Amino acid sequence: MSGWNDKVIEEFRANGGQVGGNFAGTPLLLLHTVGAKSGQTRVNPMMYQKVDGGYAGFASKGGAPTSPDWYHNLLAQPQVRAEIGTDTVELVARVATGDERERIWNAQKAAYPGFADYEQKTARQIPVVVLEPAP
């Protein structure tokens, strides 16, 4: 999987945040987290949705039974960085709950029906993460 991510990251950076393939025309950012166990910086491409005051990301992992590693990393260390287009921003992550989560999640499924498919594949509730500017 990291080889696939590496190709997406390289294309993103070479084209000012634009990529082709599965992500063509979608809002994509590169999320920088610190490994919860390793302490090493990790970078993962992630679709996002613009929300009031920041961005929302989705720990879908394609509907796998477990959340992606980046999600566990940001739970342990919520101070993250994201490359969005040609900008790099410092952000703080928090998990959306209740009505906020439902509103964001439903909008994502409506805009990108593949997320509804991911939801059907797994018994877990897919976490919605809000990324807000760091103070």
Side-chain angles (χ1 to χ4, degrees):
M1 182 74 147
S2 73
W4 183 83
N5 279 351
D6 291 343
K7 290 177 185 175
V8 173
I9 292 165
E10 182 180 334
E11 184 178 1
F12 181 100
R13 289 176 173 159
N15 296 297
Q18 299 300 311
V19 298
N22 294 341
F23 289 120
T26 65
L28 186 72
L29 60 78
L30 300 182
L31 181 68
H32 295 243
T33 60
V34 174
K37 294 178 184 174
S38 71
Q40 295 180 354
T41 299
R42 305 289 187 203
V43 181
N44 293 96
M46 179 176 75
M47 281 183 66
Y48 72 90
Q49 178 188 131
K50 188 86 170 101
V51 296
D52 287 342
Y55 311 91
F58 309 92
S60 63
K61 198 176 176 182
T66 59
S67 294
D69 291 344
W70 63 258
Y71 176 71
H72 300 291
N73 291 345
L74 67 77
L75 290 178
Q77 176 57 265
Q79 289 76 25
V80 299
R81 187 175 336 123
E83 294 175 56
I84 304 171
T86 57
D87 295 327
T88 300
V89 294
E90 300 291 328
L91 302 163
V92 177
R94 66 177 174 80
V95 178
T97 59
D99 291 342
E100 179 188 37
R101 182 208 176 270
E102 291 307 308
R103 179 177 38 79
I104 295 168
W105 179 243
N106 288 334
Q108 188 69 9
K109 290 189 300 182
Y112 300 97
F115 283 85
D117 295 339
Y118 301 155
E119 185 175 52
Q120 294 303 309
K121 287 181 178 179
T122 187
R124 69 184 172 93
Q125 183 180 65
I126 294 172
V128 173
V129 176
V130 177
L131 305 169
E132 298 169 318

